[in-house]
Amino acid sequence: MSEDNFFSAITGRSALSAKPFCPSCERDGSDIQEYINMAHAEDVEVDDYIRQEEGTFNHANGHFLCTVCYVKAGMPSSPHGWTCP
Ligand SMILES: [Zn+2]
């Protein structure tokens, strides 16, 4: 099974839809309270907020690391900006 198929299987959706999802804690972005709060403060949809503001968001597959998982992962960074694989 390819990695893409694996993630489609556990998320139940195509990788092409690129809905924000944290594969580390297996939560949709719209289920994570801190992002709900930040999106409401900006008066935008949670998914749109993550797509636009979350630095780890991977536009190719929708994966990002929520703040808790990003810290657990050791706060990865790169000169060109780190995105969740
Ligand atoms: Zn997470």
Side-chain angles (χ1 to χ4, degrees):
M1 189 181 279
S2 76
E3 193 168 279
D4 278 351
N5 285 340
F6 173 73
F7 281 116
S8 293
I10 62 170
T11 61
R13 61 177 68 90
S14 163
L16 292 175
S17 67
K19 185 174 173 59
F21 175 75
C22 177
S24 181
C25 59
E26 299 189 359
R27 288 190 295 178
D28 285 330
S30 55
D31 288 337
I32 300 174
Q33 191 62 48
E34 67 174 289
Y35 290 98
I36 295 170
N37 293 343
M38 288 188 284
H40 283 186
E42 302 276 329
D43 199 24
V44 297
E45 294 295 322
V46 179
D47 288 350
D48 288 340
Y49 177 85
I50 294 169
R51 288 188 184 106
Q52 291 164 17
E53 304 292 339
E54 174 53 52
T56 68
F57 182 69
N58 182 338
H59 287 268
N61 59 16
H63 294 170
F64 73 103
L65 284 185
C66 69
T67 303
V68 172
C69 295
Y70 183 71
V71 171
K72 278 186 189 167
M75 303 188 13
S77 64
S78 91
H80 305 293
W82 186 91
T83 57
C84 184

